[in-house]
Amino acid sequence: MTTTKKTYRTIGATAAAAIGLALLTGCGGESAALPQGWDKLDTKSLSVGYPGDKGYKEQPAADRAKSNAAVALKEEGGLRTGMVSVQLDFATGVDSAAEAASAAGAGIGLGATRKATEEVRLAGAESAREARRIDYEFTSSGEDRTPAQGTRMTGVVVAGVDSKDVPFAVRINAVKGSLSSKDLDDFVGSITVK
């Protein structure tokens, strides 16, 4: 009889743990894991990882543009060779991931070459997990401490709306070849929407 009671308790505890885990993951509240060596930018709408192990450092609020809620920069020889930025509430009348991506895509700039656009699912609040990823390349202007004019750059922007319907655009730009395709995928996979 003792064995049976013990077995039922073990089964009951296992079932309770499984239900608890299902509730946690089912609500979409899980946070994205950061790759080893990465650090995190945190804003009221989302958090995103950046490759601290590759020289990116968070920019103080006093030094960044007002349009950016958070920024991490990589600087080499006085030039900004990489940047991760988060923009919030950057467009009006936007209430879906598709609309946010359209608005963010318009900001990529003339002369940029779009490589791909795809739907992605982010970690975090279930109502805000749908987003769009746009991969693109462009040529550096050589202005404002950017790499020499003509340097090819790689970019990825992820756009959507958070759980309070605030549009966001999370962008990474870097000298082409300095980040691998895995790094760019890890960047997208590191985003947790609130």
Side-chain angles (χ1 to χ4, degrees):
M1 196 69 144
T2 308
T3 306
T4 305
K5 284 183 181 175
K6 195 182 267 185
T7 303
Y8 286 138
R9 275 194 217 126
T10 303
I11 291 170
T14 304
I19 290 168
L21 182 60
L23 288 174
L24 280 175
T25 57
C27 71
E30 75 277 1
S31 294
L34 293 181
Q36 187 172 356
W38 284 45
D39 296 306
K40 181 170 73 170
L41 296 174
D42 199 18
T43 72
K44 64 183 180 180
S45 291
L46 59 87
S47 64
V48 60
Y50 63 90
D53 61 347
K54 293 195 176 186
Y56 286 74
K57 292 185 169 108
E58 186 167 0
Q59 186 180 42
D63 296 342
R64 67 178 180 248
K66 288 182 181 179
S67 60
N68 292 323
V71 173
L73 293 175
K74 179 177 182 178
E75 297 186 312
E76 298 174 280
L79 299 177
R80 294 182 295 132
T81 58
M83 181 171 86
V84 175
S85 64
V86 179
Q87 291 181 313
L88 303 177
D89 211 8
F90 67 96
T92 56
V94 169
D95 60 7
S96 72
E99 291 173 351
S102 180
I108 289 175
L110 295 173
T113 305
R114 286 192 191 208
K115 297 292 186 179
T117 300
E118 63 181 309
E119 294 182 12
V120 293
R121 292 274 294 163
L122 305 176
E126 185 62 39
S127 64
R129 294 181 68 189
E130 182 184 334
R132 300 290 188 279
R133 170 183 175 162
I134 303 170
D135 289 75
Y136 59 98
E137 289 184 5
F138 63 101
T139 301
S140 175
S141 66
E143 298 172 1
D144 195 25
R145 295 191 314 122
T146 58
Q149 184 176 9
T151 302
R152 289 302 287 167
M153 306 289 287
T154 299
V156 173
V157 62
V158 177
V161 292
D162 72 7
S163 61
K164 294 186 164 96
D165 294 326
V166 174
F168 63 82
V170 188
R171 191 178 314 263
I172 188 166
N173 292 326
V175 171
K176 186 175 179 178
S178 65
L179 296 175
S180 68
S181 59
K182 182 182 181 317
D183 290 329
L184 298 175
D185 290 342
D186 285 345
F187 160 72
V188 177
S190 75
I191 299 170
T192 301
V193 187
K194 301 175 187 174

